[in-house]
Amino acid sequence: MTTAQLSAEQATDAAAVALPGPVRLRRLRRTPALRDLVRETRLHPSMLVAPLFVCPGSGVREPISSMPGVARVSADIAAEDAERLAGLGGGGVILFGLPRTKDALGTEASADDGSIQDALRRIRAAALPLVTIADTCLCEYTDHGHCGPIGADGTVENDAALERLAATALSQARAGADIVAPSAMMDGQVAALRGALDAAGFSGTAIMAYAAKHASAFYGPFREAAGSAPAFGDRRGYQMDPANGREALREMALDAAEGADILLVKPALPGLDLIAAARARFDLPIAAYQVSGEYAMLRAAGERGWIDPRAATMEAVGAIVRAGAGIVITYAAAEIAGWLQEAR
Ligand code: PBG
């Protein structure tokens, strides 16, 4: 007789007989070795991607006050940082560029001699065993700080932005980016980039889509670092309302259909539900971005002695991986990779 054929009462009796004693989950928590053995989520340095802010010049390392441990670096120093991360087994770097000059169209974003492009060429020349990702956006390059050209109605003109984003991705691919990562939240940006890359012979350049990118207050320190705060208004006309999860899944489905190779959720800790939903729904690699504000909070509380910053950082990144991310972009990437080496 199967359980399905038992009456409810018999089933309860059978279960009671089958159980050898009270369940004691603490058995497997008894020693460090047991805990290691049954650990469900493990971090590996190869999952970690470090953001680098690349500025003009050479020999520059300029600390960012709201992000202790993070600096704006010139392309030569960026290549050194990438080499250090590669030495720690890190998975990749994602590059953000600061231009010499800003204008209404964000012209320098697609300049072949721009800071990101320069850094990409140097990193490629060093043949490091890590992945190079270029953030593809215009807000660091426009004088108004928005993610595309402003149209007659005073808002970002979607299709004009697509042209600029495609030109930017092409210059990044020419400079050797393995992956371009469009973060402007323009409709159709993945298809526009895929089309432009393929037409120019860069069918091997992958796209990591910032598909589910909320208009988040947690980007504050980044905007100081990249000098990309909007000069007027905000980004809520193109980035998503943080209240919306189903809409985030629509964005992800569209980006996947447009040819995205990797889907990214951002910010990470406030978006754990989306990471889990994305993992369950799509078979693409899922990445999550622990953004500047998430990092700044951990560092600030750590500096005040209110939390143990190392344990809290590992717990937060562990939670992001537990939720389903296989790739984590974090400002603590090199630090975590170092801790993981120590722990071995
Ligand atoms: C560019 C971009 C931003 C971030 C990543 N790409 C800023 C923004 O959208 O305002 C934020 C990353 C972070 O906060 O660490 N659009």
Side-chain angles (χ1 to χ4, degrees), residues 23 31 40 55 99 138 252 262 297 302 325 332 343:
V23 178
T31 68
E40 296 177 28
C55 63
L138 302 169
M252 289 193 244
I262 299 172
M297 287 196 302

Side-chain angles (χ1 to χ4, degrees), residues 171-194:
S171 77
Q172 295 168 339
R174 277 195 295 270
D178 295 310
I179 301 179
V180 292
S183 66
M185 289 301 282
M186 295 297 127
D187 287 327
Q189 62 183 10
V190 173
L193 264 55
R194 188 70 275 155

Side-chain angles (χ1 to χ4, degrees), residues 53 67 96 135 137 139-140 147 183-184 210 213 218-223 228 235 239 266 289-293 331:
F53 295 102
M67 298 170 74
F96 297 92
D135 182 83
C137 196
C139 58
E140 301 106 285
C147 300
S183 66
Y210 283 72
K213 177 170 175 178
F218 289 99
Y219 307 152
F222 174 96
R223 293 179 187 171
S228 65
R235 300 207 206 292
Q239 297 181 351
K266 169 186 176 188
Y289 195 149
Q290 183 186 50
V291 300
S292 55
Y331 297 94

